[in-house]
Amino acid sequence: MPNKIKFHIDDNNVALLTLNDPDRLNALSLEMLTEIHEKIKLINSGTTNARCLVITGEGRGFCAGANLIDTNAAPSESGNPMDRDLGKGLITHYHPMLIDLKNLEIPVITSINGVAAGAGCSLGIIGDLIFASDKSYFYQAFKFIGLVPDAGSTYILPRKIGMARAIELSMLGEKISAEKALSWGLINFVYSHNNLMQETMKTATEIANGPTVAYKLMRKLYWESLGNDFESQLNAESKAQTIAGKTEDCFNGVMSFLQKKKATFKGK
Amino acid sequence: MPNKIKFHIDDNNVALLTLNDPDRLNALSLEMLTEIHEKIKLINSGTTNARCLVITGEGRGFCAGANLIDTNAAPSESGNPMDRDLGKGLITHYHPMLIDLKNLEIPVITSINGVAAGAGCSLGIIGDLIFASDKSYFYQAFKFIGLVPDAGSTYILPRKIGMARAIELSMLGEKISAEKALSWGLINFVYSHNNLMQETMKTATEIANGPTVAYKLMRKLYWESLGNDFESQLNAESKAQTIAGKTEDCFNGVMSFLQKKKATFKGK
Amino acid sequence: MPNKIKFHIDDNNVALLTLNDPDRLNALSLEMLTEIHEKIKLINSGTTNARCLVITGEGRGFCAGANLIDTNAAPSESGNPMDRDLGKGLITHYHPMLIDLKNLEIPVITSINGVAAGAGCSLGIIGDLIFASDKSYFYQAFKFIGLVPDAGSTYILPRKIGMARAIELSMLGEKISAEKALSWGLINFVYSHNNLMQETMKTATEIANGPTVAYKLMRKLYWESLGNDFESQLNAESKAQTIAGKTEDCFNGVMSFLQKKKATFKGK
């Protein structure tokens, strides 16, 4: 049984992963990271019926970032705290989870119920779709403790909001509201705090009843796009379309379209 | 004589290409794609006086995307419709045209007079400048039939509106209005439906009387920019500037500037 | 003593570089470029106490771009002005300065006090943070003289405002106001003209009292991000975090955070 997260797959094939250390605003301990990673691997194993993953936080915050008093995350071999290696914890515990999350076989929605700070901000903005409470905010807190943004922030931010705003958030450590994040294109939807989970689950259910194979190919295309030139990306699209076009979901989708009906997708 | 498009070069050196299958909202049949491609190749042959290309649609729509009942586009060798290869039609008919359009020797303006859906959306948003009617909308319809965005959508979208909004449009299949597309930076201008063509042609004429060599180099620089590091892009700029700087248009432009007059450009 | 710029490092470790040819709206002569470059090299030598660089312009303009009557910038070996090579001046005088500015060891703020045109626009938008007067504007004037955008414009623009708006500015040569530039994400802050320098110096002082090593690593991460895939960028982050995590500033920052105090950073 996980200790620092809750995990459940509902009857609509939505997997709900809740960061569950509310007393620490769900700060990312190594234990929590390991538990998140286990569930991501479970989904990618294809042995569950999950067709959409939702990540949210228990209590007042989404995720307050790395747990600074978790010294396991930054070992110092000499015992001198000045020798601790903050890059090492990233490599051993963050990156494998983040890479498997990037390669997720199903869409992922992050539902930001409160503060998303530091590495918690990185986790929040990695969603394919990002829903946020009107009480939430995003906070690149790294500079206040002499660090650089990590856990993928420097990859995601310039690709979602451009280089000027990415540097601004990181250098000045401003807290930006969900509304501002929405206007910048960092996130997709803002709802009143009380409606956040209901709206998130509504869209998650819609996605979980969508063309899962096409969704998987789609998110891969977008993750790879900025590294490809036009010709390479066209090739990637046609390869993906060959696969998508042979799914039952596509066959049924086209038939339904021609009959002007709404398609029912099975995810294969 | 083309059958599915209209094509005309006016006295101002503006080439106007009109998708012309209004009963099908100008859906992209293989015949239409071939005809578009022929005209693009004609322009790139340098044998016309065209100095700006405008692409628009006849009737109510700009382009409704791939013609789903055009089975030639997705051959199934076995005869079993589940075996059809939707990637193949992209490779044979879409990509060669799109690559030649990307490499166009003159600027291209798309003028979106109505719905731009699926591959028609891809064609609409490939313009160097995009003018849209206030009645038009953009629609990544692929997911409704179990497919992935194609015809360059996954290349263009994240480069114009960022990764979050690109994924949102593709996963949710939202119709976005011209106004929203403008606010997101997907398109450049919105005009009332009745004024769209007049405004488009006004700017097209201005462009067609501009420094055609510089424009050609400019659009190449921007298409290549995101694949280059800073040093490589600076080199590309200086190579382009060497060429542009030796044109008559540059010589006349500088002279006119120093004399505080408006330059007359010949396109060479 | 420099002739075309002013340069001064204040008691708060802010280096202020002022383009100082106000009668020509600070147009970039080769002499001015050389003087700018000398100061950038001085900062990168690590022999000064500068921890933040501010670049602004004397008088009414920020920078009017290349000095078109400075024929040294575009040598014509034959003596025929049609043979002048405008790419050569970029390679010899602009690029080495711009590359060293990109690789600056400390953050750079540009403070746009008036028109930023042509290569002056390029210099203006290269700042990590960009402050602008409400009277300033940005102007890709190249097309009016038959040229392509240079001095890094075609690198910076699509990364800050996306490809559609970048091409629009370059092809149409629109003057865009500071307000519009802000709404597009091209710049970070707009202030009333009279308050611009005060606000710029306030933030510059804050930055100059920040974690200088982390800032240096941070700006490098963002400059490199769009050329990296996710895994490579995660690796770059962890390498940077290892370095940042061993600085005194990080050690003090974490201690202060845990004690709920504001950290004092020494820049090492």
Side-chain angles (χ1 to χ4, degrees), chain B residues 159 182-183 188 215 222 225 228 233-234 237 241-242 245-246 250 265, chain C residues 83-85 95 148 150-152 154 159 163-165 168 170-171:
Chain B
R159 285 164 173 80
L182 181 68
S183 76
N188 301 95
Y215 278 144
Y222 280 117
S225 175
N228 280 337
Q233 189 65 16
L234 289 177
E237 285 180 352
Q241 208 65 300
T242 292
K246 290 179 189 292
C250 175
F265 294 118
Chain C
D83 286 340
R84 73 207 184 296
D85 185 343
H95 297 182
V148 299
D150 62 20
T154 68
R159 285 163 173 80
M163 207 169 147
R165 288 166 170 169
E168 177 185 330
S170 303
M171 282 201 173

PDB file of all heavy atoms in Angstrom, chain B residues 159 182-183 188 215 222 225 228 233-234 237 241-242 245-246 250 265, chain C residues 83-85 95 148 150-152 154 159 163-165 168 170-171:
ATOM      1  N   ARG B 159       4.755  25.700 -32.474  1.00  0.00           N
ATOM      2  CA  ARG B 159       5.630  26.829 -32.813  1.00  0.00           C
ATOM      3  C   ARG B 159       4.873  28.151 -32.872  1.00  0.00           C
ATOM      4  O   ARG B 159       5.469  29.210 -32.881  1.00  0.00           O
ATOM      5  CB  ARG B 159       6.319  26.562 -34.154  1.00  0.00           C
ATOM      6  CG  ARG B 159       7.449  25.535 -34.034  1.00  0.00           C
ATOM      7  CD  ARG B 159       7.862  24.975 -35.366  1.00  0.00           C
ATOM      8  NE  ARG B 159       9.036  24.125 -35.259  1.00  0.00           N
ATOM      9  CZ  ARG B 159       9.028  22.856 -34.852  1.00  0.00           C
ATOM     10  NH1 ARG B 159       7.896  22.284 -34.506  1.00  0.00           N
ATOM     11  NH2 ARG B 159      10.149  22.157 -34.779  1.00  0.00           N
ATOM     12  N   LEU B 182      -6.474  34.593 -32.812  1.00  0.00           N
ATOM     13  CA  LEU B 182      -5.676  35.821 -32.874  1.00  0.00           C
ATOM     14  C   LEU B 182      -5.018  36.106 -31.527  1.00  0.00           C
ATOM     15  O   LEU B 182      -3.830  36.420 -31.450  1.00  0.00           O
ATOM     16  CB  LEU B 182      -6.571  36.995 -33.282  1.00  0.00           C
ATOM     17  CG  LEU B 182      -5.885  38.356 -33.409  1.00  0.00           C
ATOM     18  CD1 LEU B 182      -4.929  38.372 -34.591  1.00  0.00           C
ATOM     19  CD2 LEU B 182      -6.915  39.480 -33.552  1.00  0.00           C
ATOM     20  N   SER B 183      -5.797  35.960 -30.457  1.00  0.00           N
ATOM     21  CA  SER B 183      -5.255  36.277 -29.133  1.00  0.00           C
ATOM     22  C   SER B 183      -4.175  35.275 -28.734  1.00  0.00           C
ATOM     23  O   SER B 183      -3.298  35.580 -27.937  1.00  0.00           O
ATOM     24  CB  SER B 183      -6.372  36.306 -28.085  1.00  0.00           C
ATOM     25  OG  SER B 183      -6.772  34.991 -27.755  1.00  0.00           O
ATOM     26  N   ASN B 188      -2.835  36.171 -37.710  1.00  0.00           N
ATOM     27  CA  ASN B 188      -2.332  37.536 -37.631  1.00  0.00           C
ATOM     28  C   ASN B 188      -3.399  38.623 -37.650  1.00  0.00           C
ATOM     29  O   ASN B 188      -3.222  39.671 -37.034  1.00  0.00           O
ATOM     30  CB  ASN B 188      -1.346  37.786 -38.775  1.00  0.00           C
ATOM     31  CG  ASN B 188      -0.180  36.820 -38.736  1.00  0.00           C
ATOM     32  OD1 ASN B 188      -0.193  35.796 -39.404  1.00  0.00           O
ATOM     33  ND2 ASN B 188       0.806  37.106 -37.904  1.00  0.00           N
ATOM     34  N   TYR B 215      12.248  38.774 -48.659  1.00  0.00           N
ATOM     35  CA  TYR B 215      11.120  38.010 -48.112  1.00  0.00           C
ATOM     36  C   TYR B 215      11.375  36.511 -48.194  1.00  0.00           C
ATOM     37  O   TYR B 215      11.081  35.757 -47.273  1.00  0.00           O
ATOM     38  CB  TYR B 215       9.828  38.347 -48.866  1.00  0.00           C
ATOM     39  CG  TYR B 215       9.153  39.616 -48.407  1.00  0.00           C
ATOM     40  CD1 TYR B 215       8.495  40.447 -49.313  1.00  0.00           C
ATOM     41  CD2 TYR B 215       9.142  39.978 -47.069  1.00  0.00           C
ATOM     42  CE1 TYR B 215       7.854  41.608 -48.894  1.00  0.00           C
ATOM     43  CE2 TYR B 215       8.508  41.142 -46.645  1.00  0.00           C
ATOM     44  CZ  TYR B 215       7.864  41.946 -47.558  1.00  0.00           C
ATOM     45  OH  TYR B 215       7.232  43.086 -47.131  1.00  0.00           O
ATOM     46  N   TYR B 222      13.093  31.950 -40.732  1.00  0.00           N
ATOM     47  CA  TYR B 222      12.155  31.624 -39.656  1.00  0.00           C
ATOM     48  C   TYR B 222      11.780  30.144 -39.647  1.00  0.00           C
ATOM     49  O   TYR B 222      11.607  29.556 -38.591  1.00  0.00           O
ATOM     50  CB  TYR B 222      10.914  32.524 -39.722  1.00  0.00           C
ATOM     51  CG  TYR B 222      11.197  33.883 -39.124  1.00  0.00           C
ATOM     52  CD1 TYR B 222      11.135  35.042 -39.880  1.00  0.00           C
ATOM     53  CD2 TYR B 222      11.564  33.992 -37.790  1.00  0.00           C
ATOM     54  CE1 TYR B 222      11.414  36.286 -39.323  1.00  0.00           C
ATOM     55  CE2 TYR B 222      11.851  35.229 -37.221  1.00  0.00           C
ATOM     56  CZ  TYR B 222      11.774  36.365 -37.998  1.00  0.00           C
ATOM     57  OH  TYR B 222      12.065  37.580 -37.440  1.00  0.00           O
ATOM     58  N   SER B 225      14.726  28.511 -37.910  1.00  0.00           N
ATOM     59  CA  SER B 225      15.244  29.058 -36.658  1.00  0.00           C
ATOM     60  C   SER B 225      15.204  28.068 -35.497  1.00  0.00           C
ATOM     61  O   SER B 225      16.211  27.875 -34.803  1.00  0.00           O
ATOM     62  CB  SER B 225      14.463  30.317 -36.278  1.00  0.00           C
ATOM     63  OG  SER B 225      14.873  30.790 -35.016  1.00  0.00           O
ATOM     64  N   ASN B 228      17.969  25.601 -35.040  1.00  0.00           N
ATOM     65  CA  ASN B 228      19.355  26.078 -34.953  1.00  0.00           C
ATOM     66  C   ASN B 228      19.703  26.576 -33.564  1.00  0.00           C
ATOM     67  O   ASN B 228      18.855  27.126 -32.869  1.00  0.00           O
ATOM     68  CB  ASN B 228      19.564  27.248 -35.934  1.00  0.00           C
ATOM     69  CG  ASN B 228      19.784  26.771 -37.355  1.00  0.00           C
ATOM     70  OD1 ASN B 228      20.193  25.634 -37.587  1.00  0.00           O
ATOM     71  ND2 ASN B 228      19.520  27.638 -38.320  1.00  0.00           N
ATOM     72  N   GLN B 233      22.219  30.198 -36.177  1.00  0.00           N
ATOM     73  CA  GLN B 233      21.213  31.108 -36.720  1.00  0.00           C
ATOM     74  C   GLN B 233      21.856  32.448 -37.088  1.00  0.00           C
ATOM     75  O   GLN B 233      21.492  33.056 -38.105  1.00  0.00           O
ATOM     76  CB  GLN B 233      20.066  31.288 -35.716  1.00  0.00           C
ATOM     77  CG  GLN B 233      18.852  32.042 -36.257  1.00  0.00           C
ATOM     78  CD  GLN B 233      18.115  31.308 -37.385  1.00  0.00           C
ATOM     79  OE1 GLN B 233      18.312  30.111 -37.597  1.00  0.00           O
ATOM     80  NE2 GLN B 233      17.295  32.036 -38.126  1.00  0.00           N
ATOM     81  N   LEU B 234      22.809  32.909 -36.287  1.00  0.00           N
ATOM     82  CA  LEU B 234      23.537  34.132 -36.660  1.00  0.00           C
ATOM     83  C   LEU B 234      24.240  33.930 -38.001  1.00  0.00           C
ATOM     84  O   LEU B 234      24.227  34.812 -38.866  1.00  0.00           O
ATOM     85  CB  LEU B 234      24.573  34.492 -35.583  1.00  0.00           C
ATOM     86  CG  LEU B 234      24.044  35.022 -34.247  1.00  0.00           C
ATOM     87  CD1 LEU B 234      25.209  35.251 -33.275  1.00  0.00           C
ATOM     88  CD2 LEU B 234      23.258  36.318 -34.421  1.00  0.00           C
ATOM     89  N   GLU B 237      21.757  34.114 -40.737  1.00  0.00           N
ATOM     90  CA  GLU B 237      21.375  35.515 -40.970  1.00  0.00           C
ATOM     91  C   GLU B 237      22.419  36.252 -41.804  1.00  0.00           C
ATOM     92  O   GLU B 237      22.082  37.001 -42.731  1.00  0.00           O
ATOM     93  CB  GLU B 237      21.205  36.253 -39.635  1.00  0.00           C
ATOM     94  CG  GLU B 237      19.943  35.916 -38.875  1.00  0.00           C
ATOM     95  CD  GLU B 237      19.820  36.671 -37.546  1.00  0.00           C
ATOM     96  OE1 GLU B 237      20.803  37.345 -37.145  1.00  0.00           O
ATOM     97  OE2 GLU B 237      18.771  36.580 -36.902  1.00  0.00           O
ATOM     98  N   GLN B 241      21.957  37.956 -45.333  1.00  0.00           N
ATOM     99  CA  GLN B 241      22.155  39.400 -45.480  1.00  0.00           C
ATOM    100  C   GLN B 241      23.146  39.720 -46.600  1.00  0.00           C
ATOM    101  O   GLN B 241      22.998  40.738 -47.293  1.00  0.00           O
ATOM    102  CB  GLN B 241      22.629  39.988 -44.139  1.00  0.00           C
ATOM    103  CG  GLN B 241      22.257  41.427 -43.913  1.00  0.00           C
ATOM    104  CD  GLN B 241      20.752  41.638 -43.817  1.00  0.00           C
ATOM    105  OE1 GLN B 241      20.008  41.338 -44.765  1.00  0.00           O
ATOM    106  NE2 GLN B 241      20.294  42.135 -42.693  1.00  0.00           N
ATOM    107  N   THR B 242      24.138  38.871 -46.771  1.00  0.00           N
ATOM    108  CA  THR B 242      25.065  39.060 -47.893  1.00  0.00           C
ATOM    109  C   THR B 242      24.296  39.042 -49.213  1.00  0.00           C
ATOM    110  O   THR B 242      24.504  39.899 -50.086  1.00  0.00           O
ATOM    111  CB  THR B 242      26.136  37.953 -47.892  1.00  0.00           C
ATOM    112  OG1 THR B 242      26.968  38.147 -46.746  1.00  0.00           O
ATOM    113  CG2 THR B 242      26.999  38.008 -49.148  1.00  0.00           C
ATOM    114  N   GLY B 245      21.788  42.028 -49.383  1.00  0.00           N
ATOM    115  CA  GLY B 245      22.499  43.299 -49.500  1.00  0.00           C
ATOM    116  C   GLY B 245      23.008  43.595 -50.898  1.00  0.00           C
ATOM    117  O   GLY B 245      23.373  44.735 -51.205  1.00  0.00           O
ATOM    118  N   LYS B 246      23.066  42.580 -51.742  1.00  0.00           N
ATOM    119  CA  LYS B 246      23.546  42.782 -53.112  1.00  0.00           C
ATOM    120  C   LYS B 246      22.397  42.937 -54.116  1.00  0.00           C
ATOM    121  O   LYS B 246      22.636  43.042 -55.319  1.00  0.00           O
ATOM    122  CB  LYS B 246      24.444  41.609 -53.525  1.00  0.00           C
ATOM    123  CG  LYS B 246      25.799  41.578 -52.806  1.00  0.00           C
ATOM    124  CD  LYS B 246      26.622  40.376 -53.263  1.00  0.00           C
ATOM    125  CE  LYS B 246      27.875  40.185 -52.411  1.00  0.00           C
ATOM    126  NZ  LYS B 246      28.875  41.255 -52.588  1.00  0.00           N
ATOM    127  N   CYS B 250      17.724  46.302 -52.292  1.00  0.00           N
ATOM    128  CA  CYS B 250      18.410  46.823 -51.112  1.00  0.00           C
ATOM    129  C   CYS B 250      19.100  48.137 -51.450  1.00  0.00           C
ATOM    130  O   CYS B 250      19.003  49.113 -50.700  1.00  0.00           O
ATOM    131  CB  CYS B 250      19.415  45.808 -50.584  1.00  0.00           C
ATOM    132  SG  CYS B 250      20.381  46.464 -49.204  1.00  0.00           S
ATOM    133  N   PHE B 265      10.326  48.724 -54.984  1.00  0.00           N
ATOM    134  CA  PHE B 265      11.051  47.456 -55.078  1.00  0.00           C
ATOM    135  C   PHE B 265      10.642  46.703 -56.335  1.00  0.00           C
ATOM    136  O   PHE B 265       9.469  46.663 -56.695  1.00  0.00           O
ATOM    137  CB  PHE B 265      10.766  46.591 -53.849  1.00  0.00           C
ATOM    138  CG  PHE B 265      11.304  47.165 -52.571  1.00  0.00           C
ATOM    139  CD1 PHE B 265      10.449  47.511 -51.526  1.00  0.00           C
ATOM    140  CD2 PHE B 265      12.672  47.351 -52.397  1.00  0.00           C
ATOM    141  CE1 PHE B 265      10.951  48.024 -50.337  1.00  0.00           C
ATOM    142  CE2 PHE B 265      13.179  47.868 -51.207  1.00  0.00           C
ATOM    143  CZ  PHE B 265      12.313  48.208 -50.177  1.00  0.00           C
TER     144      PHE B 265
ATOM    145  N   ASP C  83      28.483  46.022 -54.644  1.00  0.00           N
ATOM    146  CA  ASP C  83      29.269  44.858 -54.236  1.00  0.00           C
ATOM    147  C   ASP C  83      29.475  44.771 -52.723  1.00  0.00           C
ATOM    148  O   ASP C  83      30.110  43.842 -52.242  1.00  0.00           O
ATOM    149  CB  ASP C  83      30.657  44.893 -54.906  1.00  0.00           C
ATOM    150  CG  ASP C  83      30.562  44.545 -56.372  1.00  0.00           C
ATOM    151  OD1 ASP C  83      29.547  43.936 -56.765  1.00  0.00           O
ATOM    152  OD2 ASP C  83      31.493  44.892 -57.106  1.00  0.00           O
ATOM    153  N   ARG C  84      28.988  45.754 -52.004  1.00  0.00           N
ATOM    154  CA  ARG C  84      29.228  45.720 -50.556  1.00  0.00           C
ATOM    155  C   ARG C  84      28.618  44.459 -49.956  1.00  0.00           C
ATOM    156  O   ARG C  84      27.582  43.973 -50.410  1.00  0.00           O
ATOM    157  CB  ARG C  84      28.667  46.974 -49.895  1.00  0.00           C
ATOM    158  CG  ARG C  84      27.151  46.996 -49.808  1.00  0.00           C
ATOM    159  CD  ARG C  84      26.661  48.426 -49.785  1.00  0.00           C
ATOM    160  NE  ARG C  84      25.215  48.490 -49.612  1.00  0.00           N
ATOM    161  CZ  ARG C  84      24.333  48.013 -50.508  1.00  0.00           C
ATOM    162  NH1 ARG C  84      24.728  47.417 -51.607  1.00  0.00           N
ATOM    163  NH2 ARG C  84      23.036  48.126 -50.279  1.00  0.00           N
ATOM    164  N   ASP C  85      29.279  43.946 -48.910  1.00  0.00           N
ATOM    165  CA  ASP C  85      28.851  42.685 -48.296  1.00  0.00           C
ATOM    166  C   ASP C  85      28.315  42.970 -46.894  1.00  0.00           C
ATOM    167  O   ASP C  85      29.083  43.110 -45.947  1.00  0.00           O
ATOM    168  CB  ASP C  85      30.030  41.711 -48.243  1.00  0.00           C
ATOM    169  CG  ASP C  85      29.600  40.346 -47.724  1.00  0.00           C
ATOM    170  OD1 ASP C  85      28.510  40.249 -47.112  1.00  0.00           O
ATOM    171  OD2 ASP C  85      30.351  39.393 -47.945  1.00  0.00           O
ATOM    172  N   HIS C  95      28.432  39.528 -34.438  1.00  0.00           N
ATOM    173  CA  HIS C  95      28.300  38.186 -33.869  1.00  0.00           C
ATOM    174  C   HIS C  95      29.219  37.930 -32.678  1.00  0.00           C
ATOM    175  O   HIS C  95      28.758  37.364 -31.673  1.00  0.00           O
ATOM    176  CB  HIS C  95      28.497  37.126 -34.960  1.00  0.00           C
ATOM    177  CG  HIS C  95      27.446  37.190 -36.033  1.00  0.00           C
ATOM    178  ND1 HIS C  95      27.393  36.319 -37.088  1.00  0.00           N
ATOM    179  CD2 HIS C  95      26.397  38.033 -36.202  1.00  0.00           C
ATOM    180  CE1 HIS C  95      26.368  36.625 -37.866  1.00  0.00           C
ATOM    181  NE2 HIS C  95      25.755  37.661 -37.357  1.00  0.00           N
ATOM    182  N   VAL C 148      17.038  41.407 -44.544  1.00  0.00           N
ATOM    183  CA  VAL C 148      16.419  40.455 -43.618  1.00  0.00           C
ATOM    184  C   VAL C 148      16.765  40.868 -42.192  1.00  0.00           C
ATOM    185  O   VAL C 148      17.770  41.540 -41.959  1.00  0.00           O
ATOM    186  CB  VAL C 148      16.907  39.008 -43.874  1.00  0.00           C
ATOM    187  CG1 VAL C 148      16.548  38.562 -45.286  1.00  0.00           C
ATOM    188  CG2 VAL C 148      18.398  38.857 -43.615  1.00  0.00           C
ATOM    189  N   ASP C 150      18.421  40.779 -38.680  1.00  0.00           N
ATOM    190  CA  ASP C 150      19.719  40.200 -38.327  1.00  0.00           C
ATOM    191  C   ASP C 150      20.047  40.470 -36.863  1.00  0.00           C
ATOM    192  O   ASP C 150      19.175  40.840 -36.087  1.00  0.00           O
ATOM    193  CB  ASP C 150      20.817  40.709 -39.274  1.00  0.00           C
ATOM    194  CG  ASP C 150      21.027  42.214 -39.207  1.00  0.00           C
ATOM    195  OD1 ASP C 150      20.635  42.848 -38.200  1.00  0.00           O
ATOM    196  OD2 ASP C 150      21.574  42.765 -40.177  1.00  0.00           O
ATOM    197  N   ALA C 151      21.294  40.225 -36.512  1.00  0.00           N
ATOM    198  CA  ALA C 151      21.770  40.419 -35.138  1.00  0.00           C
ATOM    199  C   ALA C 151      20.979  39.575 -34.135  1.00  0.00           C
ATOM    200  O   ALA C 151      20.815  39.954 -32.977  1.00  0.00           O
ATOM    201  CB  ALA C 151      21.747  41.902 -34.759  1.00  0.00           C
ATOM    202  N   GLY C 152      20.493  38.433 -34.605  1.00  0.00           N
ATOM    203  CA  GLY C 152      19.848  37.499 -33.693  1.00  0.00           C
ATOM    204  C   GLY C 152      18.335  37.578 -33.644  1.00  0.00           C
ATOM    205  O   GLY C 152      17.689  36.751 -32.995  1.00  0.00           O
ATOM    206  N   THR C 154      16.059  36.733 -35.749  1.00  0.00           N
ATOM    207  CA  THR C 154      15.320  35.552 -36.212  1.00  0.00           C
ATOM    208  C   THR C 154      15.508  34.370 -35.266  1.00  0.00           C
ATOM    209  O   THR C 154      14.790  33.376 -35.372  1.00  0.00           O
ATOM    210  CB  THR C 154      15.725  35.137 -37.647  1.00  0.00           C
ATOM    211  OG1 THR C 154      17.071  34.661 -37.644  1.00  0.00           O
ATOM    212  CG2 THR C 154      15.580  36.307 -38.608  1.00  0.00           C
ATOM    213  N   ARG C 159      11.180  32.412 -30.527  1.00  0.00           N
ATOM    214  CA  ARG C 159      11.263  31.785 -29.201  1.00  0.00           C
ATOM    215  C   ARG C 159      10.541  32.595 -28.128  1.00  0.00           C
ATOM    216  O   ARG C 159      10.302  32.106 -27.029  1.00  0.00           O
ATOM    217  CB  ARG C 159      12.733  31.602 -28.808  1.00  0.00           C
ATOM    218  CG  ARG C 159      13.390  30.443 -29.565  1.00  0.00           C
ATOM    219  CD  ARG C 159      14.893  30.505 -29.494  1.00  0.00           C
ATOM    220  NE  ARG C 159      15.509  29.314 -30.068  1.00  0.00           N
ATOM    221  CZ  ARG C 159      15.684  29.103 -31.374  1.00  0.00           C
ATOM    222  NH1 ARG C 159      15.280  30.005 -32.249  1.00  0.00           N
ATOM    223  NH2 ARG C 159      16.250  27.992 -31.809  1.00  0.00           N
ATOM    224  N   MET C 163       6.064  31.842 -34.041  1.00  0.00           N
ATOM    225  CA  MET C 163       6.477  31.989 -35.434  1.00  0.00           C
ATOM    226  C   MET C 163       5.566  32.935 -36.222  1.00  0.00           C
ATOM    227  O   MET C 163       6.029  33.664 -37.105  1.00  0.00           O
ATOM    228  CB  MET C 163       6.434  30.595 -36.061  1.00  0.00           C
ATOM    229  CG  MET C 163       7.372  30.369 -37.207  1.00  0.00           C
ATOM    230  SD  MET C 163       7.389  28.574 -37.578  1.00  0.00           S
ATOM    231  CE  MET C 163       7.650  28.662 -39.364  1.00  0.00           C
ATOM    232  N   ALA C 164       4.269  32.943 -35.924  1.00  0.00           N
ATOM    233  CA  ALA C 164       3.341  33.767 -36.713  1.00  0.00           C
ATOM    234  C   ALA C 164       3.608  35.249 -36.489  1.00  0.00           C
ATOM    235  O   ALA C 164       3.689  36.037 -37.437  1.00  0.00           O
ATOM    236  CB  ALA C 164       1.895  33.423 -36.346  1.00  0.00           C
ATOM    237  N   ARG C 165       3.759  35.620 -35.223  1.00  0.00           N
ATOM    238  CA  ARG C 165       3.981  37.030 -34.914  1.00  0.00           C
ATOM    239  C   ARG C 165       5.384  37.471 -35.321  1.00  0.00           C
ATOM    240  O   ARG C 165       5.589  38.621 -35.725  1.00  0.00           O
ATOM    241  CB  ARG C 165       3.731  37.268 -33.423  1.00  0.00           C
ATOM    242  CG  ARG C 165       2.245  37.191 -33.085  1.00  0.00           C
ATOM    243  CD  ARG C 165       1.971  37.084 -31.600  1.00  0.00           C
ATOM    244  NE  ARG C 165       0.543  37.255 -31.325  1.00  0.00           N
ATOM    245  CZ  ARG C 165      -0.024  37.015 -30.151  1.00  0.00           C
ATOM    246  NH1 ARG C 165       0.708  36.580 -29.132  1.00  0.00           N
ATOM    247  NH2 ARG C 165      -1.319  37.192 -29.989  1.00  0.00           N
ATOM    248  N   GLU C 168       5.194  38.136 -38.969  1.00  0.00           N
ATOM    249  CA  GLU C 168       4.402  39.359 -39.188  1.00  0.00           C
ATOM    250  C   GLU C 168       5.245  40.618 -38.973  1.00  0.00           C
ATOM    251  O   GLU C 168       5.276  41.518 -39.823  1.00  0.00           O
ATOM    252  CB  GLU C 168       3.197  39.370 -38.240  1.00  0.00           C
ATOM    253  CG  GLU C 168       2.358  40.649 -38.337  1.00  0.00           C
ATOM    254  CD  GLU C 168       1.244  40.696 -37.294  1.00  0.00           C
ATOM    255  OE1 GLU C 168       0.743  39.630 -36.891  1.00  0.00           O
ATOM    256  OE2 GLU C 168       0.883  41.809 -36.871  1.00  0.00           O
ATOM    257  N   SER C 170       8.386  40.973 -39.104  1.00  0.00           N
ATOM    258  CA  SER C 170       9.499  41.096 -40.047  1.00  0.00           C
ATOM    259  C   SER C 170       9.017  41.402 -41.455  1.00  0.00           C
ATOM    260  O   SER C 170       9.647  42.163 -42.180  1.00  0.00           O
ATOM    261  CB  SER C 170      10.315  39.800 -40.039  1.00  0.00           C
ATOM    262  OG  SER C 170      10.761  39.515 -38.724  1.00  0.00           O
ATOM    263  N   MET C 171       7.905  40.814 -41.863  1.00  0.00           N
ATOM    264  CA  MET C 171       7.423  41.032 -43.232  1.00  0.00           C
ATOM    265  C   MET C 171       6.705  42.361 -43.384  1.00  0.00           C
ATOM    266  O   MET C 171       6.794  42.996 -44.429  1.00  0.00           O
ATOM    267  CB  MET C 171       6.474  39.898 -43.653  1.00  0.00           C
ATOM    268  CG  MET C 171       7.198  38.623 -44.033  1.00  0.00           C
ATOM    269  SD  MET C 171       6.153  37.558 -45.066  1.00  0.00           S
ATOM    270  CE  MET C 171       7.353  36.282 -45.513  1.00  0.00           C
TER     271      MET C 171
END
